[in-house]
Amino acid sequence: MDFGSVVKNIIAILFLTWLFFRLYVSIFKGRSNRFVGLLLGLAGFWAISYILEFTFFIKAFEYLYVPIMVAIIIAYSPEIRMALVTEKRRGNFFRSNSTTASQVDIALTACWSLREKKRGALIVFSRNVPLKSFIETGTKIDSEMSLQMLMTIFAFDTELHDGAVIIQNGRLAAAGCFLPLSHQQDLNQ
C-alpha cells in the first residue's frame, strides 16, 4: 500500500465519521435549524468523494441516495410542513383565503348572542393553514355564512354544537369538527 492510498483511506474514514455524527446530531438533537445543513453536508460529502475518487462512497450514494432522501423527508416532515406554512403565510406558494369584515361581524354577533345565553362557540377561520383534515372530522355543510346558521349550529342540544365550525373561503365548510390540542407547554390554565 502506498502513501496516497493510506491518506485516501484516512480521509474516507474521517468523512464517514463526520457524516454519521452529523446525522446523529441533526436527528436527535436540534432538528429544525440543522435540516439544510444536513442536506448541504450530504451534497458536500458526495462532491468530495467524487473529486477524490472514493469509489466505495460514490457507489454507496448511487444505491442509497433515494432511501436517504426518503428517510430525511420522513424525519424532518414537521420542519418541512412548517416551512411550507411559513411560505404560504407570506403568499409565496398558494393563494390566500380572504375573510371579509362582514364575515367577522357575523361571527362576533353570533358570539355576543351566545354569550348572553351562556353558551360557547368555537369558530375557526381558515386563512394560511389548510384545515381539510379537521373538516373531515366534522359534518360537512358547505353553506353561506349567516348569523342564523351559526345560532342554529350552536343551539343547545343540537348534534353539531359540540365541536368547532370551520369557515373556509367565506363559507361554512363544516361543523362539529374536532381540533387538536396545543403543543405549547407554557399556556395559562
Side-chain angles (χ1 to χ4, degrees):
M1 240 159 100
D2 64 343
F3 182 72
S5 63
V6 170
V7 170
K8 252 188 195 182
N9 288 336
I10 290 173
I11 292 172
I13 290 170
L14 290 174
F15 276 136
L16 192 58
T17 304
W18 174 83
L19 176 67
F20 284 125
F21 175 74
R22 295 305 299 165
L23 281 171
Y24 170 77
V25 168
S26 65
I27 290 174
F28 296 109
K29 302 289 181 190
R31 296 164 43 122
S32 61
N33 51 351
R34 300 217 166 103
F35 177 66
V36 174
L38 177 65
L39 291 179
L40 291 175
L42 285 172
F45 184 72
W46 178 84
I48 290 171
S49 297
Y50 188 78
I51 291 169
L52 296 177
E53 298 177 0
F54 294 144
T55 55
F56 172 76
F57 292 124
I58 294 169
K59 284 292 183 189
F61 271 116
E62 286 177 10
Y63 291 109
L64 296 176
Y65 78 91
V66 171
I68 287 172
M69 288 299 131
V70 169
I72 289 172
I73 290 170
I74 291 171
Y76 287 98
S77 61
E79 287 81 6
I80 293 169
R81 181 178 180 273
M82 287 305 297
L84 291 174
V85 167
T86 301
E87 288 301 311
K88 184 178 178 183
R89 285 186 184 146
R90 291 181 189 156
N92 295 343
F93 285 149
F94 311 102
R95 68 174 182 85
S96 62
N97 298 327
S98 59
T99 302
T100 65
S102 64
Q103 293 167 344
V104 174
D105 287 340
I106 291 170
L108 287 173
T109 304
C111 289
W112 279 107
S113 298
L114 290 166
R115 178 182 171 265
E116 290 173 0
K117 298 176 182 179
K118 298 191 187 298
R119 293 190 202 138
L122 287 173
I123 301 173
V124 178
F125 286 91
S126 175
R127 293 179 56 200
N128 299 321
V129 179
L131 299 175
K132 182 179 179 185
S133 61
F134 303 119
I135 290 171
E136 291 172 353
T137 64
T139 303
K140 291 183 183 175
I141 296 176
D142 192 30
S143 73
E144 287 190 31
M145 185 175 169
S146 68
L147 177 63
Q148 295 80 12
M149 187 65 121
L150 287 175
M151 294 302 292
T152 301
I153 289 170
F154 289 112
F156 187 70
D157 283 344
T158 61
E159 291 189 24
L160 298 178
H161 86 281
D162 284 332
V165 166
I166 296 178
I167 300 166
Q168 191 171 42
N169 296 326
R171 298 180 60 81
L172 290 173
C177 301
F178 294 102
L179 300 177
L181 296 175
S182 175
H183 293 287
Q184 287 182 313
Q185 299 296 323
D186 58 347
L187 295 175
N188 293 332
Q189 296 292 325

